[in-house]
Amino acid sequence: MGKVRKIAVEEAYSIPEVAEQLRQVVRGPSQSLDKLLVKGIYDANPDDPGYARMNFLDGLTDIEGRRLREMDELGVDMHVLSLTAPGVQMFDADTATDLAALVNDRLAEVCQRNPTRFAGLATFAPQSPKRAAKEMERAINTLKLNGFILNSHTNDEYLDDPKYWHALEAAEALDACIYIHPRGASYGFKGPLQDYGMDSAMWGYGMEVGTHAVRMMTSGLFDRFPKLRICIGHMGEAVHFWLWRLTFMNSRAQKIGRAPKTELTMDEYFRRNFVITTSGVEDPLALDYSIRKIGADNILWAIDYPYQPQAPAVAFIDAAPLSDEDRAKICHRNAERVFRIAPLPE
Ligand code: 1WB
Ligand code: MN
């Protein structure tokens, strides 16, 4: 088999205007768990050892320079770009709505200049769900972006809250997938995650998004939005590892009236409404389990640039013992289908 097209689907970027607003949030009164990490990236103070500087900002803002050269060197054909966590979700509704439009315009320009190298997931401001729905429509129909990015909770609320249904209706009607990316856990969930570096990618991020996904399934949301498609990264945030127990215990909770009745089982919702990506998890055993549990049609390759280096993520997928068919699905075909990226001519 010749060289397999590689589309990486959880690749972060930012723009200076968003970086500046995040700097303001970090200096303000917010009690969000995100501050620990966001301060280190956008407002590090070398004299404060608790907030060691993390130099990710250059990687986030440089798209067509160093990133693209590295992609060339490593044979990474495409990055599906998304505004990095926490997106616009820590800002007030007006600022968030305006910035989402700006971010999407910039993203569309990058994609139009490099149509085979970059695709993009549009940002929206859940703080204002009706305006979000309009921006979502513009992002897909006018800007031709490829789906949506959402950084888990907004002001400590999750997508099962009916206030977000405008946005979910829009996503479903547009047949566009929402990638739920982590951010710091919500206020009531943050307690034991504040120490030992557990707030972010090491542990808290997965707990936050896994919980978000389970809320969506157990609330019965997918009976209302049966065609809604959700993508979660970091090898499914381990949700599919729990599927058997989730399904068993949810059916018990339904019987005693602790959980809403649902048309399908938790197992069935996960298989119908979710796809997962390999972002940031270069573990062949976890990939093998995922393929056997939910099928190669539901797994997409991703790097998690710039938070993870590109070369090891490429080496990981190149070394994975996959059939040609599964490799093609995981490296590009599923991404083409889920994010509506034009396949290359044969
Ligand atoms: C890290 C990872 C930081 C992610 C992030 O900041 C995001 C990290 C927004 O590894 O420190 C991520 O997207 O997984
Ligand atoms: Mn990421």
Side-chain angles (χ1 to χ4, degrees):
M1 196 172 184
K3 186 184 159 302
V4 180
R5 185 186 200 192
K6 284 197 183 78
I7 302 178
V9 298
E10 187 194 309
E11 314 314 322
Y13 79 98
S14 193
I15 64 172
E17 290 86 343
V18 172
E20 178 52 33
Q21 286 295 324
L22 284 172
R23 208 166 288 127
Q24 298 309 320
V25 166
V26 165
R27 292 175 183 180
S30 165
Q31 295 293 302
S32 168
L33 186 59
D34 282 293
K35 267 182 143 178
L36 280 176
L37 185 89
V38 169
K39 182 174 164 58
I41 298 176
Y42 301 95
D43 200 25
N45 175 357
D47 300 329
D48 182 349
Y51 295 102
R53 182 174 160 71
M54 287 186 287
N55 194 11
F56 289 128
L57 197 51
D58 294 345
L60 289 167
T61 49
D62 172 356
I63 301 175
E64 291 161 284
R66 192 183 79 191
R67 176 194 309 241
L68 194 54
R69 279 198 302 279
E70 221 177 274
M71 289 165 64
D72 289 340
E73 281 161 24
L74 294 167
V76 176
D77 294 278
M78 181 180 255
H79 274 195
V80 179
L81 298 167
S82 48
L83 180 67
T84 196
V88 298
Q89 289 161 247
M90 290 180 81
F91 309 141
D92 66 78
D94 289 345
T95 304
T97 302
D98 291 350
L99 273 179
L102 176 69
V103 157
N104 293 338
D105 286 341
R106 296 269 175 85
L107 180 57
E109 286 164 18
V110 171
C111 298
Q112 279 157 19
R113 272 199 298 274
N114 308 274
T116 61
R117 309 308 302 281
F118 294 113
L121 304 183
T123 294
F124 59 100
Q127 296 93 324
S128 185
K130 282 193 183 159
R131 285 187 286 174
K134 277 209 182 116
E135 178 62 12
M136 291 166 90
E137 205 263 324
R138 185 183 81 97
I140 300 296
N141 290 339
T142 306
L143 299 181
K144 308 293 180 197
L145 291 172
N146 301 81
F148 303 109
I149 182 80
L150 178 76
N151 295 285
S152 202
H153 72 88
T154 305
N155 297 325
D156 309 312
E157 290 169 330
Y158 294 86
L159 285 182
D160 54 286
D161 191 311
K163 72 170 60 150
Y164 299 125
W165 288 355
H166 293 289
L168 299 183
E169 268 161 27
E172 193 184 44
L174 292 162
D175 191 23
C177 180
I178 301 178
Y179 200 128
I180 302 185
H181 186 279
R183 61 174 289 194
S186 57
Y187 190 78
F189 194 23
K190 77 175 184 177
L193 300 171
Q194 297 173 99
D195 308 307
Y196 316 130
M198 290 169 66
D199 55 289
S200 50
M202 187 172 78
W203 186 251
Y205 276 8
M207 293 295 105
E208 165 64 24
V209 173
T211 301
H212 199 155
V214 173
R215 285 187 70 93
M216 292 173 82
M217 292 193 285
T218 53
S219 64
L221 187 72
F222 293 110
D223 292 339
R224 189 171 188 100
F225 299 105
K227 297 208 170 100
L228 183 62
R229 175 99 70 155
I230 303 295
C231 180
I232 52 180
H234 313 108
M235 211 62 96
E237 313 289 10
V239 174
H240 57 310
F241 192 85
W242 287 89
L243 261 189
W244 190 93
R245 188 161 167 82
L246 271 173
T247 302
F248 182 91
M249 290 298 174
N250 171 264
S251 103
R252 179 182 285 174
Q254 289 198 21
K255 276 198 197 89
I256 62 169
R258 295 259 321 267
K261 296 270 184 226
T262 56
E263 288 169 20
L264 302 185
T265 66
M266 300 304 105
D267 189 87
E268 289 166 335
Y269 290 129
F270 198 80
R271 289 165 200 276
R272 187 186 70 181
N273 295 94
F274 286 82
V275 294
I276 74 169
T277 83
T278 65
S279 60
V281 180
E282 292 152 19
D283 177 351
L285 210 52
L287 177 60
D288 185 50
Y289 170 82
S290 301
I291 293 169
R292 287 155 68 169
K293 185 71 178 174
I294 63 170
D297 288 320
N298 293 321
I299 304 166
L300 289 64
W301 179 65
I303 301 167
D304 212 353
Y305 184 86
Y307 303 109
Q308 303 267 146
Q310 303 204 65
V314 170
F316 161 67
I317 202 65
D318 281 348
L322 303 171
S323 67
D324 289 352
E325 176 85 3
D326 284 358
R327 185 178 305 284
K329 286 176 176 174
I330 292 168
C331 288
H332 68 96
R333 263 196 235 148
N334 297 336
E336 290 161 357
R337 181 186 80 240
V338 172
F339 296 119
R340 293 188 300 184
I341 294 163
L344 293 177
E346 288 291 317

